[in-house]
Structure formats: structure tokens, C-alpha cells
Amino acid sequence: MVKLSLIVPVLNEAEAIGPFADRVAGVFAPHPDIAVELVFVNDGSSDASLAAMLAVKKPGLRVRVIDLSRNFGKEAALTAGLQHAGGDVVVPIDVDLQHPPEVILEMLAKWREGYEVVLGRRTDRASEPWARGKLAALFYRLHNRIASPQIPENVGDFRLMDRRVVEALRQLPESQRFMKGLFAWVGFRTASVDYSCAPRVAGRSRFSGWKLWNFAIEGVTSFSSYPLRVWTYLGILVSLAAFVFAVIVIFQVLIYGIDVPGYASLFVAVNLLGGMQLIGIGIMGEYLGRNYFESKRRPVYLVRHIYEDP
Ligand code: UDP
Ligand code: MG
């Protein structure tokens, strides 16, 4: 008998919850040796999502609903789910059926072979806009060049984790939780299975381009101090260039006398250096801000109520 917990973060998905529960129940019905627990995390939905979650009654599915006090974001919702999942194996999964629940059976097979983490690897991003896929690929390339540990490309939150991995994740104290990074940080024996990402069953993506951009910045700054350090080297380079330029200018003045025109070069240099300094300060501010919020030690999420099947 295996106890499987599915962590399902939900933000305004009233239409998706029913089909999701039906599909999951269908997948696990032929497997009475797998006890499935659905851990819905209601991330501050303002529609009928909570009622829809509480209405899920399926033989063989235990339902637990963690109702958060407001919208804390998907990362916080996943953290809440991990905290409240009781299974031997835990799988975060989107409620929009973009992550086919059938794949969990393949993941379980790998887990039985002794892997503690089984990643779901997207084989096609056809269901999402072309630009989003390209930008995601660019993000992974940049992130993996400057941050460690590496995060595998085309791998999202859909993955199977052994109890031990979940315990490890629960021990991580940070309040800013870039889950992809934290998942990679804990390590463990890892395998992967391929799946193709289906179109959303209802509604639209909850992540706008701007939200994703900020998410990418959070990812890089949470796992790399390279953007901070690069300014030291840039500063050294610019100072060296300025020194060489100074020597040239002084010699020119000594040999040819004072040459007044120079407005263009001054203007360009002042603007360029001013811009670079602002970028440098901005990046420092980014980290300082992160540190500031981290130092408040506020909880990652607040629970209004936990509903549990008897
Ligand atoms: N979600 C959430 N809180 C948020 C945003 C999203 O719990 O602030 C949930 C959402 O309901 C869904 C999952 O996270 O179950 C993935 O969201 P979505 O499908 O919009 O993301 P995408 O698949 O476009 O990356
Ligand atoms: Mg989705």
C-alpha cells in the first residue's frame, strides 16, 4: 500500500476542479494499492473554487483543503501543501490538467526502482505562446550559467518526491521560496519521465508576462550572487580604461596644448557611466530588498481553515 499525496494549488479555478478530480479518480481507480490524498491549497480564490473543492466526493480519494487567508502566490501555496501532505510520495500538480495525472503512474514505477525524485519533463510547449517558450529557454540558459545548483530545463513543479525529500524541503527556512531552485537544491537520487503538456481545461494562465519576468529575477537572485559581483569586475575594467584615457589626454595636453572641443566624448562618458552606476545600484537594491523581506521572518502563508475528510 502506497500513500500518495497530490498537492494542488488553486487560484480561481472553479471550472477546472471537477474535471480534475474526475480524471484523477479515473486514473487511480484500477490501482487499489495506491491510497490517494488530494491536498487542495486554496490560494485566495475569489470565485466558487472553495465550494468546488469541498464538493469533490470520489470513492478512493481523500480530500484535504488548506484554505489560505489570501493569495500568497503559487510558490507559497506549494509550500503550504508540502507542509500538510501526509503521503509516502508527494506530487505537486496543476489543477488545469496541463499535467496529465496518468504520468504519475510512470513516476511511481521509477520511485519503486529506488529514485527519490522523479521529474516530469515537458516534451512540447505547443500549448503555450511561442515567445513564452523561447524566453523560458533563455531564462534556463542564463540561470544555469550563473547560479547553482542547476535547474533542469523544461521541468516544472510537476514531479514526484519521496517522503525524505519533502522532509528536507520542510527544513528550508527561507521565506522567499523559488520552488524550482529549492527542489534542485535538496538533491537526492533523481530520474525523469517525459510528458506532453496539454492545453488548459478551462480559464487562462494565472501568470502574466510581467509576473513571469519578476519570477525569473527572483529565481536568479535567490540562487546566485553573480549579478552583485559582476559590478566589481566591470568597475575595474572601466577604471583601467579611464586611467589609460587619462594618460593619453595628459600627454596630448602637454605636447599639443589644451584642446577645448570634447563635448561629445564627455557627454557620452557621463551618460554611460551614470547609466551603469544606476544599474549597479538597482541590482544591489534588488538583493537588499530580498534581504529586507527575509529578515522580517514572516510566515510564508497563513491558513484560514483546514477542511478534512473524516
Ligand atoms: N496558482 C496559484 N496561485 C497563484 C497562481 C496560480 O495557486 O497565485 C495555481 C493555479 O490555480 C494552477 C497552477 O497554480 O493550478 C498553475 O497556474 P497556471 O496554470 O495559471 O500557470 P501556467 O500553467 O500557465 O504556468
Ligand atoms: Mg497551467
Side-chain angles (χ1 to χ4, degrees):
M1 194 76 181
V2 183
K3 276 173 70 183
L4 167 71
S5 300
L6 301 185
I7 300 178
V8 196
V10 173
L11 171 62
N12 296 335
E13 308 267 16
E15 294 95 79
I17 291 165
F20 171 80
D22 289 344
R23 178 95 166 263
V24 170
V27 169
F28 292 99
H31 300 272
D33 54 324
I34 305 173
V36 183
E37 169 193 54
L38 284 183
V39 183
F40 284 114
V41 183
N42 181 25
D43 189 15
S45 300
S46 52
D47 65 354
S49 291
L50 180 62
M53 291 176 225
L54 294 174
V56 172
K57 295 269 178 290
K58 295 270 163 212
L61 287 189
R62 264 182 70 85
V63 176
R64 187 181 290 193
V65 178
I66 319 296
D67 188 24
L68 303 187
S69 64
R70 62 170 171 87
N71 176 251
F72 283 92
K74 187 182 177 190
E75 310 299 292
L78 284 177
T79 304
L82 285 171
Q83 208 63 249
H84 292 92
D88 308 317
V89 286
V90 174
V91 178
I93 184 170
D94 288 357
V95 73
D96 57 14
L97 284 174
Q98 287 196 285
H99 302 155
E102 293 77 16
V103 176
I104 299 171
L105 295 173
E106 291 172 47
M107 290 176 169
L108 278 167
K110 290 269 185 202
W111 174 74
R112 291 199 173 97
E113 287 173 26
Y115 292 102
E116 290 142 334
V117 177
V118 186
L119 309 174
R121 189 183 297 274
R122 257 186 249 192
T123 49
D124 72 287
R125 285 179 163 259
S127 65
E128 65 180 12
W130 179 84
R132 185 171 158 175
K134 283 279 169 266
L135 286 171
L138 200 69
F139 166 74
Y140 286 114
R141 273 238 297 287
L142 175 76
H143 184 279
N144 287 340
R145 177 148 298 182
I146 67 176
S148 72
Q150 308 264 300
I151 53 178
E153 200 169 329
N154 288 328
V155 169
D157 301 319
F158 185 39
R159 60 184 66 212
L160 177 145
M161 290 174 281
D162 185 85
R163 182 90 237 142
R164 273 169 283 189
V165 181
V166 175
E167 293 301 337
L169 284 167
R170 284 185 188 177
Q171 281 172 28
L172 302 183
E174 52 253 81
S175 52
Q176 283 162 60
R177 304 186 75 84
F178 179 64
M179 292 312 285
K180 278 190 210 256
L182 298 181
F183 287 149
W185 188 87
V186 296
F188 291 95
R189 265 194 302 269
T190 304
S192 62
V193 298
D194 289 343
Y195 74 96
S196 86
C197 198
R200 250 179 171 279
V201 66
R204 296 179 53 214
S205 173
R206 303 295 180 256
F207 291 92
S208 63
W210 180 242
K211 237 172 147 182
L212 284 173
W213 165 253
N214 285 318
F215 189 48
I217 291 180
E218 174 165 353
V220 170
T221 52
S222 294
F223 284 87
S224 170
S225 62
Y226 184 89
L228 279 176
R229 269 185 301 147
V230 75
W231 294 95
T232 314
Y233 301 109
L234 220 66
I236 291 172
L237 268 179
V238 171
S239 304
L240 276 179
F243 181 76
V244 171
F245 191 59
V247 170
I248 294 171
V249 168
I250 287 169
F251 271 98
Q252 272 181 344
V253 168
L254 288 180
I255 295 166
Y256 303 111
I258 293 175
D259 178 22
V260 175
Y263 167 76
S265 57
L266 268 180
F267 188 77
V268 169
V270 167
N271 281 327
L272 180 74
L273 290 178
M276 273 172 45
Q277 282 164 350
L278 285 180
I279 295 173
I281 293 173
I283 289 179
M284 271 191 254
E286 187 70 40
Y287 281 89
L288 184 68
R290 241 162 245 304
N291 223 322
Y292 172 63
F293 283 111
E294 198 67 52
S295 68
K296 287 176 186 274
R297 315 213 116 268
R298 283 187 188 145
V300 177
Y301 59 87
L302 289 177
V303 176
R304 178 183 296 117
H305 192 72
I306 296 179
Y307 302 84
E308 217 159 341
D309 277 353

